[in-house]
Amino acid sequence: MRHHHSDPADEDDVLEPPSKSSRKREMQALQDLGEQLVALSSERLKKVPLPENLYEAIRAAQGFKMEARRRQLQYIGKLMRKIDPEPIQAQLDIFAGNSAAEVAKMHRLERLREQLLEDEQTIGTIAETWPEADLQYLRTLRRNALKEREAARPPKSFREIFRVLRELQETSDAAAEAEAEAERPADEDVTEQGSNP
């Protein structure tokens, strides 16, 4: 059952218009959100619940540089004033690892990286989990990361190992999602529509 009630936010607007500074903060927050969206890979951007015009504007901004990009970001900020930013923020939080499941996944990858540094045989586990992994590259990164540690140099290769593992994880997650989607019986949609008078 759906309850229809008037939005209290509408009544607030009538009673007391928001102050100039709070409007400015709100606009800035939306523009920041827009910048985060522009920074996403096209793969991730597809997962964000966006209206078509906003999606197109973000894709365009990704191809712009300097002044054109700045203007496009302002335009994105304007478009975002017309939509509810909550679902977008929720999806960005998931990408950023702010959801419990994501945090657990990141910890698993961090542990795997540590195991790899301690024991090269961990390469076998990685190969089993992700057959498409570039094992030669990971071996090189492992050697470099160990050298960095010994020489107390910035952990560039150490970080790169994590990036590679995360990418492998994301690719297999996306494949699993697509598989689950494909296995969903087609008549499920029909029953859902039937139950909604």
Side-chain angles (χ1 to χ4, degrees), residues 15-28:
L15 297 175
E16 198 184 313
S19 72
K20 204 171 182 184
S21 58
S22 77
R23 264 213 313 272
K24 202 171 180 186
R25 273 199 306 274
E26 217 169 275
M27 278 157 61
Q28 190 53 56

Side-chain angles (χ1 to χ4, degrees), residues 2 7 46 69 76-77 85 92 97 112 120 132 137 141 172-173 181:
R2 292 196 191 113
D7 188 350
K46 283 179 195 154
R69 189 186 177 100
I76 289 168
L92 287 176
L112 186 59
E120 195 172 353
E132 73 280 16
Y137 183 48
L141 286 175
S172 68
D173 284 352
E181 196 62 35

Side-chain angles (χ1 to χ4, degrees), residues 28-155:
Q28 190 53 56
L30 288 174
Q31 211 163 318
D32 291 346
L33 198 57
E35 280 185 48
Q36 289 177 54
L37 291 169
V38 171
L40 290 178
S41 66
S42 57
E43 215 33 63
R44 284 190 155 187
L45 191 59
K46 283 179 195 154
K47 294 181 182 174
V48 183
L50 295 171
E52 190 62 33
N53 61 344
L54 184 54
Y55 175 78
E56 293 303 332
I58 289 163
R59 292 293 286 147
Q62 289 175 332
F64 291 156
K65 292 201 172 27
M66 312 289 283
E67 184 57 26
R69 189 186 177 100
R70 192 185 65 76
R71 277 202 306 271
Q72 186 70 2
L73 279 168
Q74 285 179 333
Y75 171 60
I76 289 168
K78 266 188 202 148
L79 288 178
M80 292 192 72
R81 275 180 246 163
K82 301 186 178 105
I83 62 164
D84 174 14
E86 285 302 315
I88 296 173
Q89 188 60 63
Q91 186 62 54
L92 287 176
D93 285 347
I94 290 171
F95 291 154
N98 295 349
S99 77
E102 286 294 312
V103 170
K105 203 181 286 179
M106 292 305 143
H107 286 325
R108 265 202 314 278
L109 294 178
E110 281 163 7
R111 277 198 302 276
L112 186 59
R113 172 176 61 182
E114 277 308 325
Q115 287 162 8
L116 175 61
L117 289 185
E118 284 162 23
D119 180 8
E120 195 172 353
Q121 298 308 308
T122 307
I123 283 279
T125 311
I126 293 171
E128 273 173 42
T129 314
W130 301 293
E132 73 280 16
D134 184 344
L135 304 181
Q136 197 50 54
Y137 183 48
L138 277 167
R139 278 196 187 95
T140 307
L141 286 175
R142 177 182 181 274
R143 273 199 306 275
N144 293 346
L146 290 170
K147 280 182 199 160
E148 284 167 1
R149 243 180 210 184
E150 280 166 36
R153 288 207 312 271

Side-chain angles (χ1 to χ4, degrees), residues 160-178:
E160 178 65 7
I161 291 172
F162 185 78
R163 194 195 64 76
V164 170
L165 293 176
R166 193 178 60 198
E167 215 164 78
L168 288 165
Q169 181 69 59
E170 280 174 5
T171 307
S172 68
D173 284 352
E177 246 174 65

